[in-house]
Amino acid sequence: MAITALYSAATGLRGLSTRIDVIANNLANAETTAFKGQRANFEDLYYQELKQPGTTDAADQISPSGIFVGLGTKLSKHPA
């Protein structure tokens, strides 16, 4: 589980770095003639299902929602 958390954090930091780079580029070139600003779009990677929805716990109570752990983010559309 610890490696999964580190990978999720690393992909988030990589995405944040890309977003900052895109914003800095947009600011640096804002006054350039015919400059078209860029945008960084992100999407989630797969989710790991730890507990299915509708299962019972130790106290015989049904949990309506399961437990899902996200595995990070990625750039869905590279800035052109």
Side-chain angles (χ1 to χ4, degrees):
M1 189 70 158
I3 297 297
T4 305
L6 287 174
Y7 180 73
S8 179
T11 59
L13 287 173
R14 187 179 307 130
L16 183 60
S17 175
T18 302
R19 184 175 183 186
I20 290 172
D21 289 344
V22 169
I23 291 171
N25 187 41
N26 286 342
L27 288 173
N29 294 310
E31 297 297 323
T32 304
T33 305
F35 173 73
K36 185 177 179 184
Q38 298 174 341
R39 171 180 279 172
N41 296 320
F42 300 95
E43 63 184 35
D44 293 336
L45 294 177
Y46 293 107
Y47 283 89
Q48 181 179 10
E49 182 179 29
L50 299 179
K51 184 177 178 184
Q52 291 185 350
T55 58
T56 58
D57 59 5
D60 288 334
Q61 295 179 346
I62 297 175
S63 68
S65 61
I67 298 174
F68 298 94
V69 176
L71 299 177
T73 62
K74 74 173 189 172
L75 196 61
S76 63
K77 180 182 174 190
H78 194 291

Coordinates of all heavy atoms in Angstrom, one line a residue:
M1 N 0.8 -1.2 0.0 CA 0.0 0.0 0.0 C 0.9 1.3 0.0 O 0.5 2.3 -0.6 CB -0.9 0.0 1.2 CG -2.0 1.0 1.2 SD -3.2 0.7 -0.1 CE -4.5 1.6 0.5
A2 N 2.0 1.2 0.6 CA 2.9 2.4 0.7 C 3.4 2.8 -0.6 O 3.5 3.9 -1.0 CB 4.0 2.1 1.7
I3 N 3.8 1.8 -1.4 CA 4.3 2.0 -2.8 C 3.2 2.7 -3.6 O 3.4 3.6 -4.4 CB 4.8 0.7 -3.4 CG1 6.0 0.2 -2.6 CG2 5.2 1.0 -4.9 CD1 7.2 1.1 -2.6
T4 N 2.0 2.2 -3.5 CA 0.9 2.8 -4.2 C 0.6 4.2 -3.9 O 0.4 5.1 -4.7 CB -0.4 2.0 -3.9 OG1 -0.2 0.6 -4.2 CG2 -1.6 2.5 -4.7
A5 N 0.8 4.6 -2.6 CA 0.6 5.9 -2.1 C 1.7 6.8 -2.7 O 1.5 8.0 -3.1 CB 0.6 6.0 -0.6
L6 N 2.9 6.3 -2.7 CA 4.1 7.1 -3.3 C 3.9 7.3 -4.8 O 4.2 8.4 -5.3 CB 5.4 6.4 -3.0 CG 5.9 6.4 -1.5 CD1 7.1 5.5 -1.4 CD2 6.1 7.8 -1.1
Y7 N 3.4 6.3 -5.5 CA 3.2 6.4 -6.9 C 2.1 7.5 -7.2 O 2.2 8.3 -8.1 CB 2.9 5.1 -7.5 CG 2.6 5.2 -9.0 CD1 3.7 5.4 -9.9 CD2 1.4 5.2 -9.6 CE1 3.5 5.5 -11.2 CE2 1.2 5.3 -10.9 CZ 2.2 5.4 -11.8 OH 2.0 5.6 -13.1
S8 N 1.1 7.4 -6.4 CA 0.0 8.4 -6.6 C 0.4 9.8 -6.3 O 0.1 10.7 -7.1 CB -1.2 8.0 -5.6 OG -2.2 8.9 -5.7
A9 N 1.2 10.0 -5.3 CA 1.8 11.3 -5.0 C 2.7 11.8 -6.1 O 2.7 12.9 -6.5 CB 2.5 11.3 -3.6
A10 N 3.5 10.9 -6.6 CA 4.5 11.2 -7.6 C 3.8 11.7 -8.9 O 4.2 12.6 -9.6 CB 5.4 10.1 -7.9
T11 N 2.7 11.0 -9.3 CA 2.0 11.4 -10.5 C 1.3 12.7 -10.3 O 1.2 13.5 -11.2 CB 1.0 10.3 -10.9 OG1 0.0 10.1 -9.9 CG2 1.7 9.0 -11.3
G12 N 0.8 12.9 -9.1 CA 0.2 14.2 -8.8 C 1.1 15.4 -8.9 O 0.8 16.4 -9.4
L13 N 2.3 15.2 -8.3 CA 3.4 16.2 -8.4 C 3.8 16.5 -9.8 O 4.1 17.6 -10.2 CB 4.6 15.8 -7.5 CG 4.3 15.9 -6.0 CD1 5.5 15.4 -5.2 CD2 4.0 17.4 -5.6
R14 N 3.9 15.4 -10.6 CA 4.3 15.5 -12.0 C 3.3 16.3 -12.8 O 3.6 17.2 -13.6 CB 4.5 14.2 -12.7 CG 5.1 14.3 -14.1 CD 5.3 12.9 -14.7 NE 6.1 12.0 -13.8 CZ 5.8 10.8 -13.5 NH1 4.6 10.3 -14.0 NH2 6.5 10.1 -12.7
G15 N 2.0 16.0 -12.5 CA 0.9 16.8 -13.1 C 0.9 18.2 -12.7 O 0.7 19.1 -13.5
L16 N 1.1 18.5 -11.4 CA 1.2 19.9 -11.0 C 2.3 20.7 -11.6 O 2.2 21.8 -11.9 CB 1.3 19.9 -9.4 CG 1.3 21.3 -8.8 CD1 0.0 22.0 -9.1 CD2 1.5 21.1 -7.3
S17 N 3.5 20.0 -11.7 CA 4.6 20.6 -12.4 C 4.3 21.0 -13.8 O 4.6 22.1 -14.3 CB 5.8 19.7 -12.3 OG 6.9 20.3 -13.0
T18 N 3.6 20.1 -14.5 CA 3.2 20.4 -15.9 C 2.2 21.5 -16.0 O 2.3 22.4 -16.8 CB 2.6 19.1 -16.6 OG1 3.5 18.1 -16.5 CG2 2.2 19.4 -18.0
R19 N 1.3 21.6 -15.1 CA 0.3 22.7 -15.0 C 1.0 24.0 -14.8 O 0.7 25.0 -15.4 CB -0.7 22.4 -13.9 CG -1.8 23.4 -13.9 CD -2.9 23.0 -12.9 NE -3.9 24.0 -13.0 CZ -4.9 24.0 -12.2 NH1 -5.0 23.1 -11.2 NH2 -5.9 24.9 -12.3
I20 N 2.0 24.1 -13.9 CA 2.7 25.3 -13.6 C 3.5 25.7 -14.8 O 3.5 26.9 -15.2 CB 3.6 25.1 -12.4 CG1 2.7 25.0 -11.1 CG2 4.6 26.3 -12.2 CD1 3.5 24.7 -9.9
D21 N 4.1 24.8 -15.5 CA 4.8 25.1 -16.7 C 3.9 25.7 -17.8 O 4.3 26.6 -18.5 CB 5.5 23.8 -17.3 CG 6.7 23.4 -16.5 OD1 7.2 24.2 -15.6 OD2 7.1 22.2 -16.6
V22 N 2.7 25.1 -18.0 CA 1.8 25.6 -19.0 C 1.4 27.1 -18.6 O 1.3 27.9 -19.5 CB 0.6 24.7 -19.1 CG1 -0.5 25.3 -19.9 CG2 1.0 23.4 -19.7
I23 N 1.1 27.3 -17.3 CA 0.6 28.6 -16.9 C 1.8 29.6 -17.1 O 1.6 30.8 -17.6 CB 0.2 28.6 -15.4 CG1 -1.1 27.8 -15.3 CG2 0.0 30.0 -14.9 CD1 -1.6 27.5 -13.9
A24 N 3.0 29.2 -16.8 CA 4.1 30.1 -16.9 C 4.4 30.5 -18.4 O 4.6 31.6 -18.8 CB 5.4 29.5 -16.3
N25 N 4.2 29.5 -19.3 CA 4.3 29.7 -20.7 C 3.2 30.7 -21.2 O 3.5 31.6 -22.0 CB 4.3 28.4 -21.5 CG 4.6 28.6 -22.9 OD1 5.5 29.3 -23.3 ND2 3.9 27.9 -23.8
N26 N 2.0 30.5 -20.7 CA 0.9 31.4 -21.1 C 1.2 32.8 -20.7 O 1.0 33.8 -21.4 CB -0.4 30.9 -20.6 CG -0.9 29.7 -21.3 OD1 -0.5 29.4 -22.4 ND2 -1.8 29.0 -20.6
L27 N 1.7 33.0 -19.5 CA 2.0 34.4 -19.0 C 3.2 35.0 -19.7 O 3.1 36.2 -20.1 CB 2.3 34.3 -17.5 CG 1.1 34.1 -16.6 CD1 1.6 33.9 -15.1 CD2 0.1 35.2 -16.7
A28 N 4.2 34.2 -20.0 CA 5.4 34.7 -20.7 C 5.0 35.2 -22.2 O 5.6 36.1 -22.7 CB 6.5 33.7 -20.7
N29 N 4.1 34.5 -22.8 CA 3.8 34.8 -24.2 C 2.4 35.5 -24.4 O 1.9 35.6 -25.5 CB 3.8 33.5 -25.0 CG 5.1 32.9 -25.1 OD1 6.1 33.5 -25.4 ND2 5.2 31.6 -24.7
A30 N 1.9 36.1 -23.3 CA 0.6 36.7 -23.4 C 0.5 37.8 -24.4 O -0.5 38.1 -25.1 CB 0.1 37.1 -22.0
E31 N 1.6 38.6 -24.5 CA 1.6 39.8 -25.3 C 2.1 39.5 -26.7 O 2.2 40.4 -27.6 CB 2.5 40.9 -24.7 CG 1.9 41.4 -23.3 CD 0.6 42.1 -23.5 OE1 0.3 42.8 -24.5 OE2 -0.3 41.9 -22.6
T32 N 2.4 38.3 -27.0 CA 2.9 37.9 -28.3 C 1.8 37.9 -29.3 O 0.7 37.4 -29.1 CB 3.6 36.5 -28.3 OG1 4.6 36.5 -27.3 CG2 4.2 36.1 -29.7
T33 N 2.0 38.4 -30.5 CA 1.0 38.5 -31.6 C 0.6 37.1 -32.0 O 1.5 36.2 -32.2 CB 1.5 39.3 -32.8 OG1 1.9 40.6 -32.3 CG2 0.4 39.4 -33.8
A34 N -0.7 36.8 -32.1 CA -1.3 35.6 -32.5 C -0.9 34.4 -31.6 O -0.9 33.2 -32.0 CB -0.9 35.3 -33.9
F35 N -0.6 34.6 -30.3 CA -0.3 33.6 -29.4 C -1.6 32.9 -28.9 O -2.6 33.6 -28.6 CB 0.5 34.0 -28.2 CG 0.6 33.0 -27.1 CD1 1.5 31.9 -27.3 CD2 -0.1 33.0 -25.9 CE1 1.7 30.9 -26.4 CE2 0.1 32.1 -25.0 CZ 1.0 31.0 -25.2
K36 N -1.7 31.6 -29.0 CA -2.9 30.9 -28.5 C -2.5 30.2 -27.2 O -1.6 29.4 -27.2 CB -3.4 29.9 -29.6 CG -4.6 29.2 -29.2 CD -5.1 28.3 -30.3 CE -6.4 27.6 -29.9 NZ -6.8 26.6 -30.9
G37 N -3.2 30.5 -26.2 CA -2.9 29.9 -24.9 C -3.1 28.4 -24.8 O -3.9 27.9 -25.6
Q38 N -2.4 27.8 -24.0 CA -2.5 26.3 -23.8 C -3.3 26.0 -22.5 O -3.4 26.8 -21.6 CB -1.1 25.7 -23.8 CG -0.4 25.9 -25.0 CD 1.1 25.4 -24.9 OE1 1.6 25.2 -23.8 NE2 1.7 25.2 -26.0
R39 N -3.7 24.7 -22.5 CA -4.4 24.2 -21.3 C -4.0 22.8 -21.0 O -3.8 22.0 -21.9 CB -5.9 24.3 -21.5 CG -6.7 23.6 -20.5 CD -8.2 23.7 -20.7 NE -8.6 25.0 -20.3 CZ -9.8 25.4 -20.5 NH1 -10.7 24.8 -21.2 NH2 -10.2 26.6 -20.1
A40 N -3.8 22.5 -19.8 CA -3.4 21.1 -19.4 C -4.6 20.5 -18.8 O -5.2 21.0 -17.8 CB -2.3 21.1 -18.4
N41 N -5.1 19.4 -19.3 CA -6.2 18.6 -18.8 C -5.7 17.3 -18.2 O -4.9 16.6 -18.8 CB -7.2 18.3 -20.0 CG -7.8 19.6 -20.5 OD1 -8.1 20.5 -19.8 ND2 -7.9 19.6 -21.9
F42 N -6.3 16.9 -17.1 CA -5.9 15.7 -16.4 C -7.0 14.8 -16.2 O -8.2 15.1 -16.3 CB -5.4 16.1 -15.0 CG -4.2 17.0 -15.0 CD1 -4.4 18.4 -14.9 CD2 -2.9 16.5 -15.2 CE1 -3.3 19.3 -15.0 CE2 -1.8 17.4 -15.3 CZ -2.0 18.7 -15.2
E43 N -6.7 13.5 -16.1 CA -7.7 12.5 -15.8 C -7.1 11.5 -14.8 O -5.9 11.4 -14.6 CB -8.1 11.7 -17.1 CG -7.0 11.0 -17.8 CD -7.4 10.4 -19.1 OE1 -8.2 11.0 -19.8 OE2 -6.9 9.3 -19.4
D44 N -8.1 10.8 -14.1 CA -7.7 9.8 -13.1 C -7.2 8.6 -13.8 O -7.6 8.2 -14.9 CB -8.9 9.4 -12.2 CG -9.4 10.6 -11.4 OD1 -8.6 11.5 -11.1 OD2 -10.6 10.5 -11.0
L45 N -6.3 7.9 -13.1 CA -5.8 6.6 -13.5 C -6.8 5.6 -12.9 O -7.8 5.9 -12.3 CB -4.4 6.3 -13.1 CG -3.3 7.2 -13.8 CD1 -2.0 6.9 -13.3 CD2 -3.4 6.9 -15.3
Y46 N -6.5 4.3 -13.0 CA -7.4 3.3 -12.5 C -7.6 3.4 -11.0 O -6.8 4.0 -10.3 CB -6.8 1.9 -12.8 CG -6.8 1.6 -14.2 CD1 -5.6 1.6 -14.9 CD2 -8.0 1.3 -14.9 CE1 -5.6 1.3 -16.3 CE2 -8.0 1.0 -16.2 CZ -6.8 1.0 -16.9 OH -6.8 0.8 -18.3
Y47 N -8.7 2.8 -10.5 CA -9.0 2.7 -9.1 C -8.9 1.3 -8.6 O -9.3 0.4 -9.4 CB -10.4 3.2 -8.8 CG -10.5 4.7 -8.8 CD1 -10.8 5.4 -10.0 CD2 -10.4 5.4 -7.6 CE1 -10.9 6.8 -10.0 CE2 -10.5 6.8 -7.6 CZ -10.8 7.5 -8.8 OH -10.9 8.8 -8.8
Q48 N -8.3 1.1 -7.5 CA -8.2 -0.2 -6.9 C -9.4 -0.4 -5.9 O -9.6 0.4 -5.0 CB -6.9 -0.4 -6.1 CG -6.7 -1.7 -5.5 CD -5.3 -1.8 -4.8 OE1 -4.7 -0.8 -4.6 NE2 -5.0 -3.0 -4.4
E49 N -10.1 -1.5 -6.1 CA -11.3 -1.7 -5.3 C -10.9 -2.5 -4.1 O -10.5 -3.7 -4.2 CB -12.4 -2.4 -6.1 CG -13.7 -2.7 -5.4 CD -14.7 -3.4 -6.2 OE1 -14.3 -4.1 -7.1 OE2 -15.9 -3.2 -6.0
L50 N -11.0 -1.9 -2.9 CA -10.6 -2.7 -1.7 C -11.9 -3.3 -1.0 O -11.7 -4.4 -0.4 CB -10.0 -1.7 -0.7 CG -8.7 -1.0 -1.1 CD1 -8.2 -0.1 0.0 CD2 -7.7 -2.1 -1.5
K51 N -13.0 -2.8 -1.2 CA -14.3 -3.3 -0.7 C -15.4 -3.1 -1.6 O -15.6 -1.9 -2.1 CB -14.6 -2.7 0.7 CG -15.7 -3.3 1.4 CD -15.9 -2.6 2.8 CE -17.1 -3.2 3.5 NZ -17.3 -2.5 4.7
Q52 N -16.1 -4.1 -2.0 CA -17.2 -3.9 -3.0 C -18.4 -3.3 -2.3 O -18.7 -3.5 -1.1 CB -17.7 -5.3 -3.5 CG -16.6 -5.9 -4.4 CD -17.2 -7.2 -5.0 OE1 -18.2 -7.7 -4.7 NE2 -16.4 -7.7 -6.0
P53 N -19.2 -2.5 -3.1 CA -20.4 -1.9 -2.5 C -21.4 -3.0 -2.1 O -21.6 -4.0 -2.8 CB -21.0 -1.0 -3.6 CG -19.8 -0.8 -4.6 CD -18.9 -2.0 -4.4
G54 N -22.1 -2.8 -1.0 CA -23.2 -3.7 -0.6 C -22.7 -4.9 0.2 O -23.5 -5.8 0.6
T55 N -21.5 -4.9 0.6 CA -21.0 -6.0 1.5 C -21.2 -5.7 2.9 O -21.4 -4.5 3.3 CB -19.5 -6.2 1.2 OG1 -18.7 -5.0 1.5 CG2 -19.2 -6.7 -0.2
T56 N -21.2 -6.7 3.8 CA -21.4 -6.5 5.2 C -20.0 -6.4 5.9 O -19.0 -7.0 5.5 CB -22.2 -7.6 5.8 OG1 -21.5 -8.8 5.6 CG2 -23.6 -7.7 5.2
D57 N -20.0 -5.7 7.0 CA -18.8 -5.5 7.8 C -18.9 -6.5 9.0 O -19.7 -7.3 9.1 CB -18.6 -4.1 8.2 CG -19.7 -3.5 9.0 OD1 -20.7 -4.3 9.4 OD2 -19.6 -2.3 9.4
A58 N -18.0 -6.3 10.0 CA -17.9 -7.2 11.1 C -19.2 -7.1 12.0 O -19.5 -8.0 12.7 CB -16.7 -6.9 11.9
A59 N -19.8 -5.9 12.0 CA -21.0 -5.7 12.8 C -22.3 -6.1 12.0 O -23.4 -5.7 12.4 CB -21.1 -4.3 13.3
D60 N -22.2 -6.8 10.9 CA -23.3 -7.2 10.0 C -24.1 -6.0 9.5 O -25.3 -6.1 9.4 CB -24.2 -8.2 10.7 CG -23.6 -9.5 10.9 OD1 -22.7 -9.9 10.0 OD2 -24.0 -10.3 11.8
Q61 N -23.4 -4.9 9.3 CA -24.1 -3.7 8.7 C -23.6 -3.7 7.2 O -22.5 -3.9 6.9 CB -23.7 -2.5 9.4 CG -24.2 -2.4 10.8 CD -23.7 -1.1 11.5 OE1 -22.9 -0.4 11.0 NE2 -24.4 -0.9 12.7
I62 N -24.6 -3.4 6.3 CA -24.3 -3.3 4.9 C -23.7 -1.9 4.6 O -24.3 -0.9 5.0 CB -25.6 -3.5 4.1 CG1 -26.1 -5.0 4.3 CG2 -25.3 -3.3 2.6 CD1 -27.4 -5.3 3.7
S63 N -22.6 -1.9 3.9 CA -22.0 -0.6 3.5 C -22.6 -0.3 2.1 O -22.3 -1.1 1.2 CB -20.5 -0.6 3.5 OG -20.0 -1.5 2.5
P64 N -23.2 0.9 1.9 CA -23.8 1.2 0.6 C -22.8 1.5 -0.4 O -23.0 1.3 -1.6 CB -24.7 2.4 0.9 CG -24.2 3.0 2.2 CD -23.5 1.9 2.9
S65 N -21.6 2.0 0.0 CA -20.6 2.3 -1.0 C -19.3 1.5 -0.6 O -19.0 1.3 0.5 CB -20.3 3.8 -1.0 OG -19.8 4.2 0.3
G66 N -18.6 1.2 -1.6 CA -17.4 0.4 -1.4 C -16.2 1.3 -1.1 O -16.4 2.6 -0.9
I67 N -15.0 0.7 -1.0 CA -13.8 1.5 -0.8 C -12.9 1.4 -2.0 O -12.6 0.3 -2.4 CB -13.1 1.0 0.5 CG1 -13.9 1.1 1.7 CG2 -11.7 1.7 0.6 CD1 -13.3 0.5 3.0
F68 N -12.6 2.5 -2.6 CA -11.8 2.6 -3.8 C -10.6 3.5 -3.5 O -10.8 4.6 -2.9 CB -12.6 3.1 -5.0 CG -13.8 2.3 -5.3 CD1 -15.1 2.6 -4.8 CD2 -13.7 1.2 -6.2 CE1 -16.2 1.8 -5.2 CE2 -14.7 0.4 -6.6 CZ -16.0 0.7 -6.0
V69 N -9.5 3.1 -4.0 CA -8.2 3.9 -3.8 C -7.8 4.3 -5.2 O -7.5 3.4 -6.1 CB -7.2 3.1 -3.1 CG1 -5.9 3.9 -3.0 CG2 -7.6 2.7 -1.7
G70 N -7.6 5.6 -5.4 CA -7.1 6.1 -6.7 C -5.6 5.8 -6.9 O -4.9 5.8 -5.9
L71 N -5.2 5.6 -8.1 CA -3.8 5.2 -8.4 C -3.1 6.3 -9.1 O -2.1 6.1 -9.7 CB -3.8 3.9 -9.2 CG -4.4 2.7 -8.5 CD1 -4.3 1.5 -9.4 CD2 -3.6 2.4 -7.2
G72 N -3.6 7.6 -9.0 CA -2.8 8.7 -9.6 C -3.5 9.4 -10.7 O -4.7 9.2 -10.9
T73 N -2.8 10.3 -11.3 CA -3.4 11.1 -12.4 C -2.4 11.1 -13.6 O -1.3 10.7 -13.5 CB -3.5 12.6 -12.0 OG1 -2.2 13.1 -11.7 CG2 -4.4 12.8 -10.8
K74 N -2.9 11.5 -14.8 CA -2.1 11.6 -15.9 C -2.6 12.8 -16.8 O -3.8 13.2 -16.6 CB -2.0 10.3 -16.8 CG -3.3 10.0 -17.5 CD -3.1 8.8 -18.5 CE -4.3 8.7 -19.4 NZ -4.0 7.7 -20.4
L75 N -1.8 13.3 -17.7 CA -2.2 14.3 -18.6 C -3.0 13.7 -19.7 O -2.5 12.8 -20.4 CB -0.9 15.0 -19.1 CG -1.0 16.3 -19.8 CD1 -1.5 17.3 -18.8 CD2 0.3 16.7 -20.3
S76 N -4.2 14.1 -19.8 CA -5.1 13.5 -20.8 C -4.9 14.1 -22.2 O -5.1 13.5 -23.2 CB -6.6 13.6 -20.4 OG -7.0 15.0 -20.3
K77 N -4.6 15.4 -22.3 CA -4.4 16.1 -23.5 C -3.1 16.9 -23.4 O -3.1 17.9 -22.6 CB -5.6 17.0 -23.9 CG -5.4 17.7 -25.2 CD -6.6 18.6 -25.5 CE -6.4 19.4 -26.7 NZ -7.4 20.5 -26.8
H78 N -2.1 16.5 -24.1 CA -0.8 17.3 -24.0 C -1.0 18.7 -24.6 O -1.6 18.8 -25.6 CB 0.3 16.5 -24.7 CG 1.6 17.0 -24.3 ND1 2.1 18.3 -24.7 CD2 2.6 16.5 -23.6 CE1 3.3 18.4 -24.2 NE2 3.6 17.4 -23.6
P79 N -0.5 19.7 -23.9 CA -0.6 21.0 -24.4 C 0.0 21.1 -25.8 O 1.2 20.7 -26.0 CB 0.1 21.9 -23.4 CG 0.6 21.0 -22.4 CD 0.2 19.6 -22.6
A80 N -0.7 21.7 -26.7 CA -0.1 21.7 -28.1 C 0.4 23.1 -28.4 O 0.2 24.1 -27.8 CB -1.2 21.4 -29.1

